[in-house]
Amino acid sequence: MGDCKTNHFLKDFYIPNYILGPDLEVENVSYTPACPVLVFINSKSGGQLGGALLESYRSLLNRNQVFDLSEEAPDKVLNKIYITLERLKLSGYGFASEIQKRLRLIVAGGDGTASWLLGVVCDLKLSQPPPIATVPLGTGNNLPFSFGWGKRNPGTDEESVKLFLKQVMEAKEMKIDSWHIIMRMRAPKEGACDPIPPLELPHSLHAFHRVSQTDSLNMEGYHTFRGGFWNYFSMGMDAQVSYAFHSERKLHPEKFKNQLVNQSTYAKLGCTQGWFCASLFHPSSRNIAQLAKVKIMKKHGHWQDLNIPRSIRSIVCLNLPSFSGGLNPWGTPNMKKVWDRDLTPPYVDDGLLEVVGFRDAWHGLVLLHPKGHGTRLAQAHRIRFEFHRGAAECTYMRIDGEPWKQPLPVDDDTVVVEISHLGQVNMLATLGCRSKSVHDPLVPSSPHGEEEDSEEESDEDWEERRKFGAADTFKIPDGIDITHLS
């Protein structure tokens, strides 16, 4: 692009300083940008790529509309900007209304970073929540890939950034389901107060912010924790391999400088953890059917037991059609399966999770075939795992790429994990992306219907359940190195 053309193009994304900071003098602006953006970049993601991308965006746009997530938390940034917008609107500045109406967010990082921003936007309960585009700077990059932004780390030069901005301007808005997860376990009688060390926790549950005393799920003598996710929850051997990868990265961050090396290390750990020879290295006591009793809710208000084959060593609850670097474990059921088993294709806004099982890594390799899929177990509005005392002392869990080691009961007690639907968030998607909506043309209506939940909840419960903990509590806690976010 020539300089004149480039400047005119970039004006469509520019936000003036007085919108970005409180109490700044209002500037006379003659041009209303068509696609004003706020850019959030995890400068520690992608080895050296995050920092280079940060500089490119800052050189092209107003530096003050590009934020380094290692220095500024998005909840504070968005809260400040939206307060300024509301103040300006009340003062009669129509420009502020147009900025708010057209605003789009860009987040560059791994799936964990993207989920952090999604949680913040959900928790702030904005009257006009902005749609979000994701730049793939992590290892798996399932969120960007699902919406057409690719899965390889991007170019960081100015021309690449301009191309991405053009795609953001042309992108369509798409709603996706948000999922709430709650976990309850008995407080230990001795030892540390928290049953899981804070540094072991995924950021989406970070420090497992406790529910209020008024929440009916709060029980005396128990820790009750909550969080949220948008892509997947998984448990079993796949999460164990992921946990080994994240542990290795924490110990030796200098070895994880680019996506190719990260993916190669991940594959090696899959071998050393026994994922390819699970029947030899993985005790049957850690198979899902031996670990947990699983219940699902297909129709609102009606729980039913889910039969898990005894050979299943990993279970994945999917919201998006991308897992483990772009694979689609659910696939597309043929019409016979649709009618015989009441299954549907995986839509991102149908209020359903796809529940899939895997025996081992060899089973997972079937996903490389165009029509390959895992063991389809169910589709559900809610799912509940109950862990009782058994042969295993722990299992491994993962939310949107962030794994942790979960202690299991050692006495006659139960650890409960429950996942339920909780609203939607706006994403930006390229035309022809792999994510599909129930509102797309030619999509048949869901056989599950659009029933309302028949279970009654008090106002206090509903307010608690609406929170992902994003605004004040979803931020990366003190002491957590943002380098370890994917």
Side-chain angles (χ1 to χ4, degrees):
M1 292 185 188
D3 286 347
C4 187
K5 261 189 177 178
T6 297
N7 291 337
H8 184 75
F9 169 74
L10 292 174
K11 280 172 65 178
D12 276 325
F13 305 94
Y14 184 87
I15 299 178
N17 280 326
Y18 77 91
I19 297 286
L20 302 167
D23 305 322
L24 293 178
E25 185 177 346
V26 175
E27 305 167 22
N28 288 322
V29 180
S30 58
Y31 185 81
T32 303
C35 182
V37 294
L38 294 173
V39 185
F40 298 90
I41 297 174
N42 183 347
S43 61
K44 304 297 176 64
S45 284
Q48 308 300 318
L49 296 181
L53 197 63
L54 183 75
E55 287 309 310
S56 291
Y57 270 97
R58 284 182 169 170
S59 68
L60 292 172
L61 303 174
N62 181 349
R63 293 183 65 86
N64 295 323
Q65 71 186 92
V66 182
F67 304 92
D68 184 348
L69 287 171
S70 66
E71 297 176 357
E72 297 182 88
D75 57 301
K76 290 186 170 60
V77 170
L78 289 174
N79 192 50
K80 176 181 68 177
I81 289 172
Y82 272 85
I83 287 175
T84 302
L85 285 170
E86 291 301 323
R87 178 176 57 79
L88 291 169
K89 282 161 59 181
L90 288 173
S91 300
Y93 290 98
F95 182 79
S97 296
E98 289 301 316
I99 291 288
Q100 186 169 336
K101 189 190 305 179
R102 304 178 188 192
L103 184 64
R104 297 186 163 195
L105 306 185
I106 296 172
V107 57
D111 287 333
T113 302
S115 294
W116 181 19
L117 186 64
L118 286 169
V120 167
V121 172
C122 284
D123 260 14
L124 292 179
K125 302 180 184 66
L126 303 168
S127 58
Q128 291 179 291
I132 301 165
T134 52
V135 181
L137 270 187
T139 302
N141 298 317
N142 292 296
L143 269 165
F145 186 61
S146 294
F147 296 99
W149 302 109
K151 58 183 176 181
R152 293 190 175 186
N153 293 161
T156 60
D157 59 282
E158 292 188 2
E159 288 305 314
S160 297
V161 169
K162 290 173 194 173
L163 180 61
F164 189 85
L165 286 171
K166 184 174 184 292
Q167 290 178 302
V168 169
M169 180 184 285
E170 296 170 350
K172 64 179 181 179
E173 291 191 34
M174 194 172 196
K175 289 188 179 297
I176 67 166
D177 294 320
S178 300
W179 294 91
H180 176 269
I181 182 168
I182 190 162
M183 185 183 322
R184 187 171 65 223
M185 66 192 80
R186 184 177 290 279
K189 293 179 181 176
E190 51 188 52
C193 174
D194 286 316
I196 307 174
L199 289 179
E200 292 288 319
L201 299 175
H203 84 283
S204 52
L205 293 172
H206 66 106
F208 282 62
H209 187 65
R210 286 168 176 72
V211 300
S212 74
Q213 297 298 315
T214 60
D215 195 317
S216 62
L217 293 167
N218 197 17
M219 294 176 61
E220 186 66 32
Y222 284 80
H223 286 314
T224 306
F225 311 123
R226 65 172 78 248
F229 69 93
W230 291 265
N231 192 358
Y232 66 85
F233 166 85
S234 72
M235 178 178 70
M237 275 214 80
D238 75 289
Q240 181 178 335
V241 174
S242 179
Y243 181 80
F245 173 83
H246 280 253
S247 298
E248 185 72 13
R249 187 165 63 175
K250 286 179 183 178
L251 290 173
H252 306 288
E254 71 282 356
K255 295 180 181 179
F256 298 81
K257 290 298 184 184
N258 67 65
Q259 189 180 29
L260 191 61
V261 169
N262 292 358
Q263 290 172 340
S264 173
T265 304
Y266 206 104
K268 290 176 186 174
L269 287 170
C271 296
T272 59
Q273 291 290 314
W275 192 204
F276 280 90
C277 304
S279 58
L280 297 176
F281 294 98
H282 192 267
S284 60
S285 59
R286 286 193 176 180
N287 290 8
I288 303 301
Q290 279 70 38
L291 278 177
K293 181 178 182 180
V294 185
K295 295 183 177 183
I296 60 171
M297 187 183 289
K298 296 184 75 170
K299 294 183 178 179
H300 288 294
H302 177 67
W303 287 102
Q304 62 187 78
D305 291 336
L306 179 62
N307 180 42
I308 308 289
R310 295 179 67 85
S311 60
I312 295 298
R313 297 180 177 88
S314 178
I315 191 169
V316 185
C317 302
L318 279 163
N319 186 42
L320 303 180
S322 180
F323 175 74
S324 194
L327 302 175
N328 184 0
W330 186 256
T332 303
N334 60 38
M335 289 309 296
K336 189 176 187 306
K337 296 281 178 68
V338 169
W339 292 110
D340 291 352
R341 295 187 56 196
D342 195 21
L343 301 179
T344 71
Y347 302 119
V348 298
D349 56 352
D350 58 358
L352 294 172
L353 282 173
E354 282 71 45
V355 186
V356 187
F358 291 96
R359 296 186 299 275
D360 51 32
W362 297 112
H363 188 194
L365 290 179
V366 303
L367 300 181
L368 298 176
H369 187 274
K371 294 185 178 180
H373 59 84
T375 300
R376 298 184 184 116
L377 299 173
Q379 286 175 302
H381 296 283
R382 299 177 85 158
I383 184 166
R384 179 183 176 95
F385 299 88
E386 295 179 359
F387 302 87
H388 300 277
R389 182 176 64 174
E393 295 181 353
C394 68
T395 187
Y396 296 85
M397 298 181 181
R398 182 163 61 144
I399 291 177
D400 286 356
E402 304 296 322
W404 77 98
K405 186 176 181 179
Q406 174 60 46
L408 296 180
V410 294
D411 50 22
D412 296 328
D413 194 31
T414 305
V415 171
V416 175
V417 175
E418 187 174 318
I419 299 168
S420 57
H421 185 256
L422 191 72
Q424 294 183 323
V425 64
N426 294 328
M427 297 295 292
L428 286 171
T430 63
L431 297 176
C433 71
R434 74 158 45 187
S435 290
K436 303 303 177 189
S437 166
V438 292
H439 304 294
D440 287 342
L442 304 180
V443 169
S445 60
S446 168
H448 301 279
E450 297 292 331
E451 304 169 76
E452 290 298 318
D453 197 334
S454 60
E455 295 185 13
E456 293 184 5
E457 292 180 332
S458 69
D459 291 342
E460 289 85 356
D461 285 350
W462 175 241
E463 277 305 308
E464 281 294 328
R465 292 179 72 81
R466 287 182 65 190
K467 295 179 183 176
F468 286 96
D472 287 327
T473 56
F474 203 68
K475 63 185 180 183
I476 305 299
D478 294 339
I480 301 293
D481 186 350
I482 196 170
T483 307
H484 299 144
L485 269 182
S486 65

